[in-house]
DNA sequence: ATGAAAGCGCTAACAT
DNA sequence: ATGTTAGCGCTTTCAT
């Protein structure tokens, strides 16, 4: 392993100059820069992250907190983060926060305390008061994606507006009996998001002068399987069946489409369905949805962090765009 | 930030003893151990990874190479790895290998050279000759999960046996016209796996004395959408339609089920379908499948790596279990 | 079993 | 613009 000394020797300069040339901090003449770069390339020199980190306090590594990985939203955000960080020359270190309190504890008391990361991105994690305190005590730039964290600048769609838009789309088509498949209370994975989305739905109904019917509101855990289950209950009784369903995730919306099919209902003739996400499966099911772009959210989060790290500006909360994508799952209500 | 000196002082011992006590290397008396542990706990002392890494050469961090994150198999393996590593006190650093050659290059020439990781796990990545050389040149423990890498001990299911089992299941039900939805040649994401799976399919047919019909063999990219597309072609012509389909991933199998439905075919009455994976959606579609457990594969990979790191044994290639899970998508062929 | 001290490979303050 | 050098916070050898 070539070290900085070897490069200095080969380039005929001091180690300080090599350090300056390679890190871009401090003044280096063009000739020295060139000599250093060539020597480094020839020797295959790469700075040791431990040594550099110890001396400078900067690790070029970002910690990412996620509740789960194996889920479209989280995995998409993570990909965006990873791609953007790599472009900046940063590593991505992953900390999965399970429900196990001991394991969670260790993340905050050990893993994040090791000085391995320069900053932290939290993807839609719900933290206890203590955990939040611990996170802030790190005294490092912090950015959230998804569920808003108290005192943490967060990137997220306007959940109320998303729901209102979806609901308004159905109302504008002539629907008035609109079912709502929201999150369930136990699902802390998407904390806060569920309630905001429900508020948007009710607001849109209210604005259209439609009364909220509690019988049309059900909850599920954001998965296709549970979406299917609750939709079957919601749609099973022909007397009370809604003419449209708004599900707060595409996976649940697809579950509802499958349930409708199994009940002999055609989508969209007998039932219109709208989801949220623009999941990769949405097109296959011709699902009308409100698009959010998690990959882009991940990249934006990195952008915010980089600016904060460079001290250019403190990160600030930020709403990201959403838009209605109309596909084949919505139409006018049956006569 | 409390440092090792503070702990030493508080515990009334030298820094060397603190280091030994906390790392479990070298002899420490029970009394010194207790004093150190208490002092460390009181001060909230956590070793600095940079300082420890620089001095010892060990980082307590593992690099994970993945081609994509947002995919059931990869995300599941990653979760398993992350969980298991955390249990061992290790961090997980993620390197996504895109198709962009410059970006890939940087992973091998920069990111992995920074001495930030003690070992590397590669999940189903296909590497060029140069990349393999670079990886081995790290001189660190290496383990693969999924697609076998030359000279890298790898954990994977026996793809031929998986396919043979799925095909034999259909044959035993009485099917002889069995369609095959395999991988496509361009799909390097799952390199090698596709061809092994096809071999197993053909072997099972041959053993049953059934001739391979090339018209029944199609390829897709492992996604539900493409599975749907190719299945429609395969099933569209009633004259040549198979009575069963074996798809080498559950997502493609589900795509085939959806295609069958849209063609007015009932599963399993008109068409039996078998997949591979035991994807989280398999149960919802009542899909018969060959289960592989990627989460467990991730955990096992960590186990192998830990043993290699501790010098207990060199990691060795290893086949992981698979088993047939019979659900409702397979039955006897129509009369 | 313990302590003193020499690095680990780099960065940054200081001097020139 | 460049070099000299003192750490960064720990581990480990060596001595005891």
């Amino acid at each position: 392993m070539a070290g900085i000394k070897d490069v200095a020797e080969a380039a005929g300069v001091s180690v300080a100059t090599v350090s300056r040339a390679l890190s871009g901090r401090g003044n280096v003449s063009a000739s020295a820069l060139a000599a250093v770069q060539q020597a480094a390339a020839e020797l295959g020199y790469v700075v040791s992250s431990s040594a550099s980190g110890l001396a400078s306090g900067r690790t070029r590594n970002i910690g990412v907190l996620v509740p789960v990985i194996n889920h479209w939203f989280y995995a998409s955000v993570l990909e965006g983060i990873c791609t953007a960080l790599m472009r900046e020359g940063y590593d991505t270190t992953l900390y999965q926060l399970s429900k196990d309190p001991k394991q969670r504890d260790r993340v905050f008391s050990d893993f994040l305390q090791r000085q391995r990361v320069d900053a932290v991105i939290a993807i839609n994690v719900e933290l206890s008061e203590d955990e939040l305190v611990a996170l802030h005590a790190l005294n490092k730039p912090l950015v959230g994606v998804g569920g808003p964290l108290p005192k943490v600048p967060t990137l997220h769609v306007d959940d109320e507006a998303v729901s209102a838009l979806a609901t308004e789309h159905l109302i504008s088509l002539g629907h008035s009996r609109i079912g709502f498949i929201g999150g369930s209370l136990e699902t802390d994975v998407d904390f806060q998001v569920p309630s905001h989305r429900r508020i948007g739905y009710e607001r849109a109904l209210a604005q259209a002068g439609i009364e909220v019917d509690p019988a049309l509101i059900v909850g599920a855990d954001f998965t296709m399987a549970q979406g299917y289950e609750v939709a079957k209950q919601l749609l099973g009784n022909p007397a009370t069946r809604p003419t449209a369903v708004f599900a707060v995730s595409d996976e649940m919306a697809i579950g509802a489409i499958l349930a409708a099919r199994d009940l002999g209902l055609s989508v969209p003739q007998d039932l219109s369905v709208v989801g949220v996400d623009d999941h990769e499966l949405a097109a296959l099911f011709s699902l009308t949805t409100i698009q959010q772009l998690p990959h882009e959210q991940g990249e934006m989060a990195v952008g915010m962090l980089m600016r904060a790290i460079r001290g250019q500006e403190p990160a600030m909360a930020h709403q990201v765009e959403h838009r209605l994508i109309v596909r084949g799952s919505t139409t006018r209500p049956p006569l």
Side-chain angles (χ1 to χ4, degrees), chain A:
Chain A
M1 283 266 63
I4 198 173
K5 271 189 191 164
D6 303 309
V7 178
E9 218 162 287
V13 297
S14 72
V15 292
T17 299
V18 174
S19 177
R20 284 188 281 250
L22 261 25
S23 69
R25 320 180 141 247
N27 296 327
V28 180
S29 67
S31 63
L33 178 61
V36 167
Q37 285 176 332
Q38 193 192 330
E42 274 171 8
L43 294 168
Y45 170 76
V46 175
V47 62
S48 149
S49 61
S50 298
S52 172
L54 180 57
S56 71
R58 285 171 265 108
T59 64
R60 296 184 80 74
N61 185 29
I62 303 296
V64 180
L65 260 34
V66 286
V68 292
I69 301 169
N70 193 359
H71 184 292
W72 178 80
F73 180 80
Y74 299 94
S76 300
V77 174
L78 194 52
E79 273 195 8
I81 289 172
C82 204
T83 303
L85 282 178
M86 196 161 267
R87 204 184 292 138
E88 302 278 352
Y90 275 67
D91 287 342
T92 308
T93 294
L94 207 53
Y95 300 102
Q96 196 180 356
L97 287 178
S98 68
K99 252 130 273 174
D100 174 18
K102 280 172 216 143
Q103 188 264 19
R104 285 181 80 101
D105 240 42
R106 288 186 68 202
V107 172
F108 293 96
S109 62
D110 283 10
F111 289 95
L112 290 177
Q113 303 291 335
R114 289 183 187 164
Q115 309 281 68
R116 202 197 283 291
V117 301
D118 289 340
V120 175
I121 299 179
I123 310 181
N124 216 16
V125 288
E126 191 169 26
L127 300 180
S128 71
E129 197 51 50
D130 288 353
E131 290 170 343
L132 257 170
V133 169
L135 205 51
H136 279 112
L138 292 177
N139 230 325
K140 294 183 173 154
L142 238 49
V143 168
V145 179
L149 243 29
K151 299 281 172 195
V152 177
T154 301
L155 225 48
H156 59 98
V157 292
D158 179 342
D159 287 295
E160 264 189 59
V162 163
S163 274
L165 176 55
T167 309
E168 284 156 8
H169 169 63
L170 293 171
I171 292 170
S172 77
L173 289 170
H175 293 274
S176 56
R177 288 191 55 70
I178 301 174
F180 178 77
I181 303 181
S184 52
L185 290 176
E186 321 88 68
T187 317
D188 56 9
V189 175
D190 275 283
F191 72 120
Q192 301 206 11
V193 172
S195 59
H196 283 133
R197 295 213 175 146
R198 172 155 169 183
I199 290 167
Y201 158 78
E202 297 189 351
R203 194 182 74 200
L205 289 183
Q207 276 177 6
I210 301 170
E211 212 172 321
V212 174
D213 180 351
L216 295 183
I217 297 181
V218 294
D221 66 353
F222 284 75
T223 66
M224 200 181 295
Q226 275 214 18
Y228 178 89
E229 287 306 326
V230 300
K232 268 214 159 160
Q233 305 310 314
L234 187 64
L235 303 173
N237 184 338
T240 60
R241 170 195 306 151
T243 61
V245 167
F246 164 44
V248 303
S249 83
D250 279 354
E251 295 192 53
M252 293 195 293
I254 292 168
I257 290 176
L258 295 170
R261 284 185 193 173
D262 285 354
L263 289 167
L265 300 171
S266 300
V267 173
Q269 291 78 15
D270 301 318
L271 181 79
S272 287
V273 178
V274 187
V276 176
D277 276 346
D278 199 27
H279 189 283
E280 54 191 356
L281 290 176
L284 179 58
F285 287 90
S286 199
L287 179 65
T288 294
T289 190
I290 313 295
Q291 177 183 55
Q292 69 168 324
L293 297 165
H295 195 284
E296 279 68 11
Q297 291 179 38
E299 300 207 18
M300 287 176 67
V302 170
M304 285 169 65
L305 220 47
M306 287 300 140
R307 267 168 270 137
I309 287 176
R310 296 186 186 120
Q312 294 173 357
E313 56 185 274
M316 286 193 8
H318 213 313
Q319 273 182 4
V320 298
E321 298 299 312
H322 64 265
R323 68 190 182 93
L324 174 65
I325 299 186
V326 181
R327 295 201 180 90
S329 67
T330 49
T331 189
R332 287 186 292 177
L335 299 179

